[in-house]
Amino acid sequence: MALASEGFSPTIALDGARKQRGNLTQARIRWMILGVLIGFSLVGGRLVQLGMVETDQTIEGQTRDAIQASRPPILDRNGLEMAVDIRVPSLYAEPRRIIDVEEAVQKLRTVLPDLNETWLRNRLTGDQGFVWVRRELTPAVQEQVMRLGIPGIDFITESKRFYPGMNEAAHILGSTNVDNQGIAGIERHMDSESIALLQELGLARGNALTPVELSVDMRVQHVLHDQLMDAMTRYQAIAAAGVMTDIYTGEVIALASLPDFNPNEPASALVKDTFNRITSGIFEPGSIFKTITIAGALDSGSVRVTDQLDARYGIRFGRYTIDDFHGKHRILSLPEVYKYSSNIGTIRIMQAMGKDNFREFLSRMKFDERVSFELPEMRVPTVPKSLSEVGAATASFGHGLSVSPLHMVAAYGALVNGGNYIAPTLYKRDAAEAEASYERVVSPQTSDSMRYLMRLNALEGSGSQMNRAAQGYRAGGKTGTAEKVVDGRYSSSKVTNFFASAFPLDNPRYAIVIMVDEPKAENPQSGTTAGWNAGAITGRLIQRVAPMLGIAPDFSEALDRQIVPPILR
């Protein structure tokens, strides 16, 4: 009663307490909603941040499209695969996603123990998006790494080039680097054209590209490589090389140079002396150059195939006298000059032509410029811009200038195909396309005379060892033995030998140049001159590949008589 009298009401007090609790609950709800909103904002912001990070699609500067890009298969002229892509897993890391770097290092080294621990630890530390750990692994290793369950470690499938023939066509194909980019040979040439663009655009990724068809016949390539390998052993040579072309289309049918490398292991191309001697080697050609000199003189009309040349005495230039290796020291007919490989007679022929006309003919035959050819490994010949009397004399028999074997095979092809120069190519080229780029360098009559001289040399001259091995295929050619320069002087004990040839000369189709560097005598009876090694190799090569190319043997002497020019019949 006293509380009531003092104005206290229990109902009012209860209502106040309820109202206070309601306000407190509303405040808590508001704070809870605010907290939830802040939490969602933080999570959303992080998701946005991570989303922005994931747009980085490069691995150490390489886009994923480029890494995964394919290269087209390379086929020989018969559709045999020379280079193909295979798909391989490569291991990479995202360091900013790795939770425990030390744990990741230890686990990875259980599968890849050859990884350097310090290098790997540094590799996995930081905030980079992607770094390579190990490229081109096997599927078995990939599975082992995946079982480790390391966050921030993953694989990407990339293309790796594989060469089924290994060394056999190494200098034709070249190789690719770890990023599947061409670094040598036709692989590099392809990248200089369209393949690199396709890769940059990502259009080659996972797509079947149109195969690239080469002019090479891998059957012939195998035989050539095998013969050169045999030569390295048989003659204890330091190097050997060869090239064979279709004289009407310029197509390279086979090309090899030893020592070579395995393009499946690109580092093996860095071993000393594995360069391509057919294109990037230039040499004094020796007496195979006499074919060029005589062709030029015949074509100019300065001499005729029936002419007689005075080879009784050596030719003096100041204090020096140029003589023949095995001189006859008598009057020689022009065919005798060729088959006896007379330096004296060849100089007389060049002098009849005139040194300036001779030099102009060398330009006509492309001996002072780079051969137009797909392989990037190419050297420019060293041919003097002008020739002195003595310089022209030595150049006439292949000394004092240096050219590549590719120059020589292109020149020989022109001299026996009717007189039309055609640049060699590694791509398939039909007759119509080839004829459109013909450049006449000698007349058909001169071409006929050169075919006769080359066949004569096989029958009666320094090419007899070749002819013996190639019986039935009417091949012909010219030997060349060039002394190497050692300590500034010509060495009689170290020589580079050549045999330049064509077959079958009654209906010529193919030209060949074989080179053997520093050969030793095969037996006490044989010497180190070109006929015994480069010539013999050529004969064995022709004997094996002619049937593959659809050329049947024919032992009829009537076909040899057909090669003789009318003026000598």
Side-chain angles (χ1 to χ4, degrees):
M1 295 297 292
L3 292 173
S5 62
E6 294 176 2
F8 176 78
S9 172
T11 301
I12 294 174
L14 184 59
D15 289 341
R18 286 174 178 172
K19 186 175 182 180
Q20 186 176 4
R21 284 196 300 272
N23 291 337
L24 181 60
T25 299
Q26 291 177 6
R28 287 173 177 172
I29 291 172
R30 284 195 294 270
W31 280 109
M32 184 178 295
I33 292 172
L34 180 61
V36 169
L37 290 174
I38 292 173
F40 272 112
S41 297
L42 291 173
V43 171
R46 179 58 175 165
L47 289 174
V48 171
Q49 183 183 14
L50 290 175
M52 293 176 65
V53 169
E54 290 300 323
T55 60
D56 181 5
Q57 291 295 302
T58 64
I59 299 181
E60 299 186 1
Q62 282 286 103
T63 66
R64 289 196 176 199
D65 281 343
I67 290 168
Q68 295 177 303
S70 301
R71 299 179 68 82
I74 299 177
L75 310 179
D76 85 333
R77 67 186 304 110
N78 301 310
L80 186 69
E81 290 182 334
M82 299 175 68
V84 294
D85 268 7
I86 57 175
R87 309 296 283 175
V88 293
S90 288
L91 178 63
Y92 71 90
E94 299 177 72
R96 55 188 166 207
R97 289 185 53 205
I98 294 177
I99 299 171
D100 189 332
V101 172
E102 196 60 37
E103 178 189 28
V105 168
Q106 298 307 319
K107 283 187 174 182
L108 281 175
R109 293 189 74 248
T110 63
V111 178
L112 300 168
D114 58 326
L115 288 176
N116 181 275
E117 186 173 345
T118 303
W119 175 87
L120 183 58
R121 185 177 294 108
N122 293 336
R123 201 78 170 148
L124 303 184
T125 302
D127 60 353
Q128 291 174 280
F130 300 95
V131 295
W132 288 118
V133 177
R134 174 62 60 82
R135 301 180 75 171
E136 299 179 354
L137 296 170
T138 65
V141 172
Q142 179 185 24
E143 184 178 354
Q144 292 177 44
V145 172
M146 294 300 288
R147 286 178 178 176
L148 298 176
I150 307 171
I153 296 293
D154 206 348
F155 287 87
I156 188 171
T157 300
E158 56 179 334
S159 295
K160 174 181 171 62
R161 207 59 160 165
F162 177 65
Y163 304 91
M166 295 186 287
N167 294 47
E168 283 195 351
H171 285 108
I172 294 173
L173 295 168
S175 57
T176 58
N177 61 16
V178 71
D179 293 318
N180 216 26
Q181 299 167 331
I183 56 176
I186 203 71
E187 294 279 27
R188 183 176 175 185
H189 179 264
M190 286 163 51
D191 276 6
S192 69
E193 294 185 322
S194 58
I195 303 306
L197 177 61
L198 288 175
Q199 291 180 334
E200 288 175 12
L201 297 175
L203 301 179
R205 181 178 53 166
N207 294 332
L209 296 175
T210 303
V212 173
E213 294 182 311
L214 299 187
S215 61
V216 177
D217 187 324
M218 280 302 292
R219 302 170 304 169
V220 179
Q221 180 73 22
H222 170 77
V223 175
L224 174 61
H225 189 269
D226 182 62
Q227 286 297 319
L228 296 178
M229 291 284 289
D230 176 69
M232 294 281 284
T233 303
R234 186 189 297 241
Y235 308 116
Q236 301 175 53
I238 65 170
V243 58
M244 177 176 173
T245 62
D246 183 311
I247 63 173
Y248 294 108
T249 65
E251 293 172 303
V252 172
I253 306 302
L255 182 156
S257 176
L258 300 178
D260 56 15
F261 60 95
N262 183 352
N264 293 309
E265 302 171 5
S268 63
L270 302 177
V271 176
K272 184 181 178 182
D273 292 332
T274 56
F275 68 95
N276 184 355
R277 285 166 172 78
I278 296 299
T279 60
S280 57
I282 56 174
F283 310 89
E284 288 194 352
S287 292
I288 62 171
F289 212 72
K290 291 172 181 173
T291 305
I292 309 301
T293 302
I294 293 173
L298 286 172
D299 200 63
S300 70
S302 304
V303 297
R304 294 176 300 175
V305 74
T306 54
D307 282 356
Q308 305 286 310
L309 290 307
D310 186 356
R312 292 175 295 172
Y313 311 105
I315 302 177
R316 289 189 62 84
F317 293 95
R319 296 178 300 161
Y320 300 99
T321 299
I322 298 177
D323 209 338
D324 288 338
F325 182 59
H326 290 302
K328 300 299 179 180
H329 296 108
R330 61 175 174 83
I331 302 295
L332 298 176
S333 67
L334 188 145
E336 287 179 323
V337 168
Y338 192 75
K339 76 175 184 178
Y340 294 137
S341 198
S342 170
N343 295 336
I344 300 170
T346 305
I347 294 172
R348 300 288 188 205
I349 291 170
M350 181 278 298
Q351 289 174 335
M353 181 183 185
K355 67 181 181 67
D356 293 334
N357 290 332
F358 172 59
R359 181 61 186 83
E360 184 278 329
F361 184 68
L362 299 187
S363 294
R364 197 192 315 171
M365 296 298 293
K366 317 294 185 185
F367 282 117
D368 51 7
E369 61 185 76
R370 184 185 188 277
V371 175
S372 178
F373 194 55
E374 292 84 11
L375 294 186
E377 299 81 24
M378 184 77 68
R379 284 185 66 186
V380 177
T382 57
V383 178
K385 292 184 178 179
S386 61
L387 295 171
S388 64
E389 292 294 338
V390 66
T394 57
S396 72
F397 55 85
H399 289 266
L401 46 75
S402 295
V403 298
S404 74
L406 189 66
H407 283 86
M408 293 307 305
V409 78
Y412 267 69
L415 295 183
V416 297
N417 73 1
N420 299 302
Y421 184 91
I422 176 72
T425 181
L426 280 169
Y427 292 117
K428 294 180 77 172
R429 179 195 281 160
D430 60 35
E433 182 185 358
E435 288 174 8
S437 61
Y438 277 179
E439 184 177 341
R440 180 159 293 284
V441 288
V442 297
S443 68
Q445 293 75 24
T446 299
S447 179
D448 289 343
S449 295
M450 298 317 299
R451 288 165 50 199
Y452 160 69
L453 293 175
M454 290 168 65
R455 181 58 180 158
L456 177 69
N457 191 52
L459 294 171
E460 303 177 10
S462 60
S464 59
Q465 294 296 322
M466 179 278 300
N467 187 58
R468 188 172 291 112
Q471 278 290 335
Y473 293 105
R474 300 170 306 286
K478 185 72 184 75
T479 52
T481 300
E483 295 178 346
K484 299 182 74 171
V485 176
V486 179
D487 298 328
R489 304 183 66 178
Y490 283 104
S491 169
S492 59
S493 61
K494 292 186 177 182
V495 296
T496 304
N497 289 346
F498 298 91
F499 196 87
S501 62
F503 79 99
L505 284 177
D506 60 300
N507 184 22
R509 183 63 187 273
Y510 301 101
I512 304 171
V513 171
I514 297 292
M515 184 199 96
V516 185
D517 199 1
E518 295 188 22
K520 306 295 189 298
E522 182 181 4
N523 55 60
Q525 288 73 42
S526 68
T528 58
T529 52
W532 288 95
N533 40 71
I537 294 168
T538 301
R540 292 191 292 267
L541 175 67
I542 292 171
Q543 185 72 28
R544 290 180 60 183
V545 306
M548 299 176 184
L549 299 169
I551 300 173
D554 192 320
F555 298 90
S556 171
E557 294 182 3
L559 292 173
D560 275 329
R561 288 194 293 272
Q562 290 179 15
I563 301 172
V564 179
I567 195 172
L568 292 176
R569 289 176 188 168

